[in-house]
Amino acid sequence: MSLGITTLVALALSAFGFVMYVYFFSVGYGFSIAGIGIALLILYRNSLTLGTVIMCALFIIYGIRLGGYLAIREMKSTAYKTLLKDESKHNVKFGVKLCIWISCAILYVCECAPVTFRFVNNVQDDMFLYVGIGLAAVGILMEIIADAHKTIAKKKNPKRFVSTGLYKIVRCPNYLGEILLWTGVFVSGISVCNSVLQWVIVSLGYIGILYVMFSGARRIEMRQEETYGSDPEFKAYIKRTPIIIPFVPIYSVAKYSWLKA
């Protein structure tokens, strides 16, 4: 029942994509995660613990911030208006949109499943939950700081690539924050899954979001290469700065066509 309700919530809140299909992955994503957090708090209001309240609160904070940030950015930013205008030119058939909508909603439910199963299986707070909360909180904070660094840098020089702040460590620090967040959620579920099916669901959510993050990093890399590829400073920057995981010498994922999503 819980998975069914969270799926309905995700479907309802990601339906923005029928206006413009990129919203399935952006605004709809953020609001879906926040909605799932709220739904879990309501569904299990009689069996809440400190740890589960914190984790659901992190879902809500993360989702509202992300959904709101993306909505405001896409309304105010000329660059993103142009990008969305280009995307709107793609003639995406209704059947394709329907498949994307359902697939995205399922992914969002699977990402949050470790917390859902903690409630379903009535597992009390433990070390895995609190370690997961710590990782998730760091991930959310990293995303907030990365977005702030990018905003400040673009105000100073809109035409230059961003290489300051967290962007000195990796080229996609917001995606690194996203990975830390969902790694934390996954870790929190290590002690809760009591069936193969539950493990399959939480694993699909975690592997799915990792794929989405690296796929997104690939798109950014290719877009930046097109925009800044002739800039010697940019070439030096990408040679010394890992694309998404710090201290791991992976500087490019553009050649991995299987990451195309």
Side-chain angles (χ1 to χ4, degrees):
M1 184 184 76
S2 299
L3 288 180
I5 292 173
T6 53
T7 300
L8 290 175
V9 169
L11 286 169
L13 294 175
S14 63
F16 291 103
F18 286 104
V19 177
M20 191 174 297
Y21 83 95
V22 294
Y23 290 159
F24 285 131
F25 322 110
S26 59
V27 177
Y29 172 45
F31 290 149
S32 292
I33 300 302
I36 290 172
I38 294 170
L40 290 174
L41 288 176
I42 294 172
L43 283 172
Y44 294 98
R45 58 190 177 277
N46 295 324
S47 55
L48 295 172
T49 64
L50 176 61
T52 52
V53 168
I54 293 173
M55 189 62 90
C56 288
L58 289 176
F59 284 167
I60 296 167
I61 293 168
Y62 163 81
I64 291 176
R65 190 208 74 87
L66 178 64
Y69 173 81
L70 292 175
I72 293 170
R73 184 185 69 178
E74 289 166 6
M75 285 189 292
K76 290 186 174 181
S77 170
T78 302
Y80 279 98
K81 282 182 180 178
T82 302
L83 178 61
L84 292 176
K85 186 177 180 180
D86 292 339
E87 292 288 356
S88 67
K89 293 177 182 177
H90 298 168
N91 185 22
V92 181
K93 295 180 179 179
F94 178 78
V96 175
K97 282 189 175 183
L98 193 65
C99 292
I100 294 172
W101 178 45
I102 294 171
S103 299
C104 286
I106 291 172
L107 174 61
Y108 306 155
V109 169
C110 290
E111 288 177 58
C112 299
V115 181
T116 304
F117 291 146
R118 182 172 289 274
F119 283 119
V120 170
N121 299 333
N122 195 29
V123 178
Q124 296 302 302
D125 293 359
D126 54 23
M127 176 190 68
F128 292 106
L129 176 58
Y130 285 106
V131 170
I133 286 172
L135 288 171
V138 170
I140 293 171
L141 182 61
M142 179 173 286
E143 290 193 61
I144 294 171
I145 294 172
D147 289 339
H149 284 168
K150 185 173 183 179
T151 299
I152 293 169
K154 285 297 184 180
K155 282 183 178 179
K156 289 182 178 178
N157 190 346
K159 295 183 179 181
R160 190 185 187 278
F161 63 94
V162 182
S163 60
T164 54
L166 290 177
Y167 290 83
K168 290 181 179 179
I169 302 172
V170 291
R171 303 200 319 263
C172 299
N174 50 339
Y175 288 176
L176 172 59
E178 189 87 8
I179 289 172
L180 282 174
L181 162 62
W182 295 110
T183 297
V185 176
F186 180 79
V187 167
S188 78
I190 289 176
S191 59
V192 306
C193 296
N194 62 11
S195 70
V196 173
L197 179 59
Q198 289 185 356
W199 271 112
V200 169
I201 291 171
V202 299
S203 297
L204 283 175
Y206 185 55
I207 294 170
I209 195 61
L210 289 181
Y211 177 85
V212 170
M213 289 301 101
F214 277 92
S215 176
R218 180 177 183 269
R219 286 196 302 274
I220 289 176
E221 179 185 356
M222 295 174 72
R223 193 184 309 143
Q224 288 184 332
E225 179 63 31
E226 185 177 337
T227 306
Y228 309 113
S230 59
D231 185 341
E233 286 188 28
F234 177 73
K235 288 182 178 180
Y237 170 66
I238 63 175
K239 284 182 179 180
R240 68 174 182 267
T241 312
I243 189 163
I244 195 168
I245 306 296
F247 314 116
V248 176
I250 299 176
Y251 301 99
S252 174
V253 291
K255 62 183 178 181
Y256 301 122
S257 58
W258 53 271
L259 283 173
K260 184 177 180 180

